[in-house]
Amino acid sequence: MNSQTTSTVPVALTIAGSDSGGGAGIQADLRTFAFHCVHGTSAITCVTAQNTLGVMRVDPIPPEAVVAQIRAVYEDIGVQAVKTGMLINKEIITAVAEQVEALQIQNLVVDPVMVSRTGAQLLDNDAVNTLRHLLIPKAAIVTPNRYEAQILSSLPINSLDDMRAAAQMIHRNVRAKAVLVKGGGMQGNLRGVDIWFDGHKMETLTTKHVETKNSHGTGCTLSAAIAAHLALGSDLITAVRQAKEYVTSALSYALDIGKGQGPVGHFFPLLNK
Ligand SMILES: Nc1ncnc2c1ncn2[C@@H]1O[C@H](COP(=O)(O)OP(=O)(O)OP(=O)(O)O)[C@@H](O)[C@H]1O
Ligand SMILES: Cc1ncc(CO)c(N)n1
């Protein structure tokens, strides 16, 4: 251990919603950044009253306040990678897209959060098109789950080949530079299998399937870990592979708290010491 008292660390920004239960959203993102030794900053888009059973209430933050948080971080601290999560409405998506343009945000990971596993609506119905047209084309990578990939591609997804077709469609029609269709919502062993497509390479990314009911926050953790690895200097596909390993470990150490779906656990690096 060296005795330095100050250090320069990579910085990542999450633009996402707060989850009072601490399993997803800003709370999962900041924890993920911290466990990668990346300094986490945040722009909160909405406050959810949420626990392991579901989402009870959502209060959006005014778009100007979201912009002010992003600018406060950029103008002073500087950021190496950004992820977006729950953006809730088209006004916030538009404001975020304008900042991506104005600040020339590069390493942008867009997790197109639409609906929670428990079925709660996390994006207004009329906001999908704004996400599609204004934000996703500006991202380095978009990471839809099965349900979100069906909406963005207008294709049904029931098999690995369907996931591949959806990834191609989202790349071509939504003009996403790279797409990761996540398999957490698939059946059986396909949970844990993701499809990567960047217009050149189609890859099937597989980690071991973890059998647990406690998987709240997998998507947020994955996109935050991708941003963390980008901030640390990994290239995109390497960052995705590294992030996937992190999620698999976090699922293996998921927390059995609450009466419903508990969150993935981030303490495994400490527990294994
Ligand atoms: N049971 C599992 N075993 C192994 N990996 C899993 C499992 N469930 C999800 N994953 C992985 O977790 C990551 C997130 O995928 P998932 O489809 O769960 O995202 P999501 O639906 O956006 O998550 P969230 O529950 O946070 O909304 C992917 O890499 C996926 O393969
Ligand atoms: C705040 C927030 N962001 C994302 C998700 C998706 O898991 C959630 N449930 N809550």
Side-chain angles (χ1 to χ4, degrees), residues 23-25 28 111-118 122 143-148 163 180-186 188-195 205-223 226 240 243-245 247-249 251-252 261 264:
D111 183 3
V113 173
M114 295 179 191
V115 173
S116 79
R117 283 265 180 93
T118 51
L122 303 177
T143 62
N145 63 21
R146 177 190 185 184
Y147 171 81
E148 293 149 358
M163 290 169 74
L180 187 77
V181 175
K182 302 174 292 191
M186 301 296 287
N189 285 344
L190 282 184
R191 283 182 290 162
V193 180
D194 302 342
I195 296 294
L205 306 180
T206 308
T207 47
K208 77 171 162 81
H209 165 73
V210 183
E211 196 52 57
T212 176
K213 76 171 171 57
N214 300 316
S215 60
H216 182 48
T218 47
C220 300
T221 300
L222 182 81
S223 52
I226 297 172
V240 170
K244 203 161 157 41
E245 291 298 331
V247 170
T248 307
S249 299
L251 271 164
S252 304
Q261 190 188 54
V264 298

Side-chain angles (χ1 to χ4, degrees), residues 158-180:
N158 295 304
S159 66
L160 212 48
D161 278 341
D162 292 346
M163 290 169 74
R164 294 189 180 109
Q168 278 175 314
M169 184 68 89
I170 295 167
H171 175 266
R172 200 177 61 224
N173 284 10
V174 193
R175 292 177 294 117
K177 294 185 192 78
V179 185
L180 187 77

Side-chain angles (χ1 to χ4, degrees), residues 31-260:
R31 207 177 292 128
T32 302
F33 293 159
F35 275 96
H36 286 84
C37 296
V38 168
H39 177 68
T41 60
S42 62
I44 297 183
T45 56
C46 61
V47 175
T48 71
Q50 185 174 176
N51 57 26
T52 65
L53 295 170
V55 180
M56 288 86 211
R57 181 181 164 124
V58 179
D59 287 280
I61 301 288
E64 314 81 70
V66 177
V67 169
Q69 295 172 77
I70 297 171
R71 294 203 79 99
V73 171
Y74 257 84
E75 286 164 8
D76 176 40
I77 301 170
V79 171
Q80 279 77 53
V82 179
K83 74 147 274 189
T84 65
M86 182 173 171
L87 297 177
I88 190 70
N89 61 40
K90 59 182 179 189
E91 291 76 18
I92 291 179
I93 298 170
T94 305
V96 169
E98 282 169 6
Q99 293 311 307
V100 170
E101 200 74 33
L103 299 167
Q104 307 232 315
I105 291 176
Q106 296 300 319
N107 287 327
L108 176 66
V109 181
V110 171
D111 183 3
V113 173
M114 295 179 191
V115 173
S116 79
R117 283 265 180 93
T118 51
Q121 192 164 344
L122 303 177
L123 185 71
D124 290 354
N125 278 335
D126 60 352
V128 174
N129 277 337
T130 316
L131 191 63
R132 186 195 297 271
H133 294 298
L134 289 190
L135 196 59
I136 293 176
K138 295 183 172 55
I141 183 167
V142 61
T143 62
N145 63 21
R146 177 190 185 184
Y147 171 81
E148 293 149 358
Q150 289 188 144
I151 293 189
L152 291 172
S153 67
S154 305
L155 295 171
I157 301 180
N158 295 304
S159 66
L160 212 48
D161 278 341
D162 292 346
M163 290 169 74
R164 294 189 180 109
Q168 278 175 314
M169 184 68 89
I170 295 167
H171 175 266
R172 200 177 61 224
N173 284 10
V174 193
R175 292 177 294 117
K177 294 185 192 78
V179 185
L180 187 77
V181 175
K182 302 174 292 191
M186 301 296 287
Q187 301 297 322
N189 285 344
L190 282 184
R191 283 182 290 162
V193 180
D194 302 342
I195 296 294
W196 154 279
F197 184 63
D198 65 356
H200 304 287
K201 248 179 155 181
M202 177 83 73
E203 292 223 19
T204 307
L205 306 180
T206 308
T207 47
K208 77 171 162 81
H209 165 73
V210 183
E211 196 52 57
T212 176
K213 76 171 171 57
N214 300 316
S215 60
H216 182 48
T218 47
C220 300
T221 300
L222 182 81
S223 52
I226 297 172
H229 282 291
L230 290 176
L232 288 163
S234 293
D235 62 70
L236 189 54
I237 181 116
T238 307
V240 170
R241 288 185 198 283
Q242 291 167 318
K244 203 161 157 41
E245 291 298 331
Y246 183 85
V247 170
T248 307
S249 299
L251 271 164
S252 304
Y253 287 88
L255 309 183
D256 203 10
I257 56 171
K259 299 180 189 68

